């Protein structure tokens, strides 16, 4: 149980275009989902926290107009990178927290590798 | 100074050896301590979690937390080549959901 999927797993886009990444909890309802960014050989950096039906909370330094997050249902959150630039190339990982779960419980997706050319 | 410090490695050990990993932290409010394993280009997988201080064992894995020293450890016994991965420690406060990660330690288990 507790499976989280991400789609696509790898995407290449041209500079200036927008890219949408989906994060789905397959066998549980997730009231909270998190979006992380990971550069090569570095740790995960939290970008934002999204709660179903409400606006996402962004970490300091993350541009909310550039990284649009929508948590429209208890099983789906999306991250849209708008007007992507090469410096946005990174590994984006989401995690989902089940309803009424312990503080430690977060289940991670497999990640999406974004390359902006 | 980062909130959570972790030696990046790489840590290379022969198959069958004990792998010893650790993290130090500065925020005394952390209550839950987790260890994740991440294979290359994959999402992290939760290995173990510990609440407050103490030891916890699960198969070949043992997690230790010393809150007085702000130091946590993960030991992997009888290491296998399949244990080769990056190991991330993570922590969270009791009332919060946000995880704070260490930088990760890359482990190589050689046959």
């Amino acid at each position: 149980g507790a499976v989280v999927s991400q789609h696509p797993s790898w995407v290449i886009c041209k500079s200036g275009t927008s890219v949408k990444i989906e994060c789905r909890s397959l066998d549980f309802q997730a009231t909270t989902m998190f979006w992380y960014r990971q550069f090569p050989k570095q740790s995960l950096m939290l970008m934002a926290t999204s709660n179903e039906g409400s606006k996402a909370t962004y970490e300091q330094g993350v541009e909310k107009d550039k990284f649009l997050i929508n948590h429209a249902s208890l099983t789906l959150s999306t991250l849209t990178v708008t007007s992507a630039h090469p410096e946005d190339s990174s590994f984006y990982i989401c995690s989902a927290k089940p309803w009424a779960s312990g503080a430690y419980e977060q289940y991670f997706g497999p990640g999406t590798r974004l390359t902006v050319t | 100074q980062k909130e959570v410090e972790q030696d990046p490695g790489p840590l290379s050990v022969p198959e069958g050896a004990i792998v010893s990993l650790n993290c130090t932290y500065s925020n005394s409010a952390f209550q839950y301590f987790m260890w994740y394993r991440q294979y290359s280009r994959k999402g992290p997988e939760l290995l173990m979690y510990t609440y407050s201080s103490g030891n916890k064992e699960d198969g070949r894995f043992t997690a230790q937390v010393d809150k007085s020293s702000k130091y946590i450890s993960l030991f992997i016994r009888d290491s296998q080549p399949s244990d080769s991965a990056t190991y991330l420690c993570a922590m969270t406060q009791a009332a919060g959901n946000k995880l704070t990660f260490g930088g990760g330690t890359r482990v190589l288990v050689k046959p």
Side-chain angles (χ1 to χ4, degrees):
Chain A
V3 178
V4 176
S5 70
Q6 279 185 244
H7 178 80
S9 57
W10 190 15
V11 58
I12 302 174
C13 71
K14 292 186 177 180
S15 186
T17 62
S18 295
V19 174
K20 180 184 284 188
I21 301 170
E22 291 186 349
C23 176
R24 292 182 185 272
S25 56
L26 299 184
D27 50 4
F28 65 95
Q29 293 185 330
T31 51
T32 305
M33 288 186 172
F34 303 87
W35 287 95
Y36 296 85
R37 185 173 181 176
Q38 187 175 35
F39 290 105
K41 297 185 179 180
Q42 294 188 26
S43 191
L44 282 73
M45 297 293 294
L46 180 65
M47 299 175 66
T49 302
S50 74
N51 292 295
E52 187 265 338
S54 62
K55 290 184 178 181
T57 302
Y58 290 82
E59 294 298 301
Q60 190 174 7
V62 178
E63 299 176 60
K64 61 181 180 181
D65 294 331
K66 181 169 186 60
F67 299 99
L68 300 178
I69 292 172
N70 187 336
H71 193 159
S73 76
L74 288 172
T75 59
L76 174 65
S77 177
T78 60
L79 167 68
T80 301
V81 182
T82 62
S83 187
H85 288 96
E87 58 265 30
D88 299 323
S89 298
S90 189
F91 194 51
Y92 292 88
I93 305 175
C94 72
S95 70
K97 187 169 174 59
W99 167 256
S101 60
Y104 62 89
E105 281 190 83
Q106 284 189 32
Y107 299 97
F108 287 82
T112 296
R113 182 162 304 279
L114 171 63
T115 302
V116 184
T117 62
Chain B
Q1 184 186 4
K2 296 179 182 178
E3 268 193 299
V4 181
E5 298 278 0
Q6 187 175 5
D7 189 323
L11 178 62
S12 183
V13 299
E15 183 176 357
I18 294 175
V19 175
S20 175
L21 304 165
N22 57 76
C23 289
T24 58
Y25 63 97
S26 57
N27 188 347
S28 59
F30 288 136
Q31 295 286 343
Y32 291 87
F33 304 90
M34 282 70 70
W35 285 96
Y36 289 86
R37 176 175 63 195
Q38 185 178 25
Y39 292 112
S40 181
R41 301 188 179 187
K42 300 292 184 184
E45 171 193 9
L46 179 65
L47 287 176
M48 296 192 71
Y49 71 91
T50 309
Y51 172 69
S52 196
S53 286
N55 294 357
K56 188 172 184 179
E57 188 174 317
D58 184 3
R60 296 187 296 117
F61 300 92
T62 299
Q64 292 182 349
V65 174
D66 182 349
K67 291 193 69 180
S68 62
S69 301
K70 297 189 179 68
Y71 186 91
I72 69 170
S73 301
L74 177 71
F75 299 97
I76 307 174
R77 291 182 297 280
D78 188 25
S79 59
Q80 305 295 313
S82 58
D83 294 325
S84 298
T86 295
Y87 290 80
L88 299 153
C89 64
M91 308 173 188
T92 187
Q93 297 181 32
N97 296 325
K98 175 180 164 180
L99 294 181
T100 301
F101 282 88
T105 300
R106 187 167 161 235
V107 172
L108 300 171
V109 180
K110 296 185 176 180

